[in-house]
Amino acid sequence: MKQSILVVGCGNMGSALTRGLCLDKWHNKYEFCLYDKVLPKAIQIANELDLSYVADINEVKSEPYLIFLAVKPNQIESACQSLSQFRNSIFVSLAAGVNQEQLQKYLGEGRPIIRMMPNLGVEVGEGVVALHYNSLVNEENREDLLFVFSSLGWIFEAEEKEFDQITALSGSGPGLVAVFLEAMMDAGVNIGLPWEKSLKMVVQTMLGTATWLKKKNCHPGLLKNMVCSPGGTTIAGIKRLELSGFRGIVMDGIETANRRAKNNMAEE
Ligand SMILES: NC(=O)C1=CN([C@@H]2O[C@H](COP(=O)(O)OP(=O)(O)OC[C@H]3O[C@@H](n4cnc5c(N)ncnc54)[C@H](OP(=O)(O)O)[C@@H]3O)[C@@H](O)[C@H]2O)C=CC1
Ligand SMILES: O=C(O)[C@@H]1CCC=N1
């Protein structure tokens, strides 16, 4: 019988993660089962990817190998309580700001738990995925899980104390980048381009810049210098951004997200 993977919560991240896990053919090795208290969300992803779903958690008969907890941080405690019958499953929590100690309290002693911080890029195999294992996830499982997660993008192990920073930078990152891209697109419209054309140019520009930096593995300042001709258009635009405190604003945005993750998602 195939081992099973249960995804609890099929919202933005649960669905992105499931799509990402199914990018590689290996996923046929596992029986996927989706569950969301809003049933149509589970049905939609299950139909799209040809996976199973349950309308009630009690319909899950055999103990899953892996259980993803993809519910909001303030829903994680009750989600854990509803899964307490699965004593041998490995639990993977995606919840921002919820640490291993809290997860263990919600799930009870003796559970193998992984804290994961993914980002939306996992859906297209280009995610950033940080993992922290508790001591009950053994070496054999860790190796097997790296294989399971391999289709999601860049996977790395991190210390727990780094998780709030990772949450702010790469977890929230796609949202901040999207705002920047939207502003670039609007800028294109403002100087007379249709938004569709402007967006296509902006997305391709971002992709090319990110791919260049990834391939060359160098400091972004070097790229910037290569684009800035002396007395040219780029440096004129950058001067205007710097006068507005652009860098400081971006750094402040990430710091604020970090503070919120640290404060357990409470208001600062
Ligand atoms: N969105 C992102 O980019 C990222 C999110 N995360 C983390 O992922 C988690 C999920 O976030 P996101 O997908 O955005 O949230 P969503 O609200 O989009 O999805 C959560 C889903 O789970 C459902 N749900 C709540 N409680 C239960 C339960 N006990 N059993 C089954 N289903 C339940 C919710 O229903 P209802 O709507 O009725 O509450 C909702 O449909 C969060 O903890 C977040 O911190 C981490 C990294 C990135
Ligand atoms: O905004 C949030 O709280 C979640 C966690 C990281 C990205 N989205």
Side-chain angles (χ1 to χ4, degrees):
M1 202 171 120
K2 282 184 183 178
Q3 284 184 310
S4 69
I5 295 180
L6 173 65
V7 180
V8 178
C10 302
N12 296 311
M13 201 61 226
S15 59
L17 179 86
T18 307
R19 289 192 186 102
L21 292 170
C22 292
L23 286 173
D24 274 357
K25 282 275 167 269
W26 67 256
H27 81 267
N28 290 327
K29 194 178 150 201
Y30 297 93
E31 193 72 57
F32 274 75
C33 179
L34 309 181
Y35 171 61
D36 194 294
K37 68 178 192 195
V38 185
L39 182 59
K41 290 194 193 177
I43 293 179
Q44 194 199 324
I45 304 298
N47 288 347
E48 177 191 317
L49 300 169
D50 197 20
L51 307 174
S52 311
Y53 64 88
V54 287
D56 189 301
I57 203 68
N58 295 315
E59 289 173 32
V60 180
K61 292 295 171 231
S62 60
E63 188 146 56
Y65 165 56
L66 212 55
I67 301 179
F68 287 101
L69 299 166
V71 301
K72 292 182 202 88
N74 65 2
Q75 300 170 320
I76 200 109
E77 184 170 3
S78 71
C80 288
Q81 280 158 3
S82 70
L83 296 161
S84 59
Q85 69 272 29
F86 301 122
R87 302 207 64 81
N88 296 303
S89 303
I90 301 172
F91 288 85
V92 186
S93 165
L94 280 58
V98 182
N99 63 31
Q100 285 276 10
E101 198 184 324
Q102 289 167 292
L103 292 165
Q104 184 180 306
K105 195 172 101 198
Y106 302 153
L107 287 164
E109 293 283 328
R111 311 297 180 108
I113 301 171
I114 302 171
R115 189 172 169 194
M116 172 188 271
M117 182 42 62
N119 69 9
L120 211 62
V122 295
E123 181 163 345
V124 292
E126 290 290 350
V128 176
V129 183
L131 301 172
H132 181 272
Y133 305 97
N134 77 356
S135 59
L136 296 171
V137 185
N138 64 36
E139 255 327 302
E140 196 188 326
N141 286 145
R142 289 180 196 206
E143 264 179 45
D144 186 41
L145 289 170
L146 283 182
F147 171 71
V148 173
F149 300 149
S150 61
S151 59
L152 298 176
W154 176 38
I155 321 292
F156 63 101
E157 230 178 291
E159 291 182 47
E160 244 219 315
K161 63 175 196 261
E162 297 171 309
F163 260 69
D164 297 331
Q165 295 150 332
I166 294 165
T167 301
L169 196 57
S170 57
S172 297
L176 278 81
V177 169
V179 170
F180 177 66
L181 290 179
E182 192 182 19
M184 290 269 287
M185 180 198 74
D186 286 345
V189 175
N190 190 42
I191 56 175
L193 292 166
W195 75 264
E196 294 90 341
K197 197 168 184 179
S198 182
L199 180 61
K200 206 168 168 187
M201 288 166 72
V202 162
V203 169
Q204 185 62 26
T205 300
M206 173 65 90
L207 188 64
T209 308
T211 307
W212 195 95
L213 282 172
K214 188 173 172 186
K215 201 164 173 185
K216 305 262 182 179
N217 193 24
C218 70
H219 193 287
L222 181 72
L223 184 151
K224 185 202 71 182
N225 284 349
M226 288 173 70
V227 183
C228 287
S229 308
T233 57
T234 317
I235 195 68
I238 290 174
K239 179 188 170 193
R240 188 68 197 83
L241 289 182
E242 299 289 18
L243 282 172
S244 312
F246 178 72
R247 268 174 214 259
I249 291 169
V250 172
M251 288 163 78
D252 209 20
I254 300 291
E255 203 178 312
T256 306
N258 180 214
R259 208 162 41 239
R260 176 161 289 186
K262 253 193 218 156
N263 294 344
N264 242 317
M265 313 302 289
E267 297 290 330
E268 299 92 54

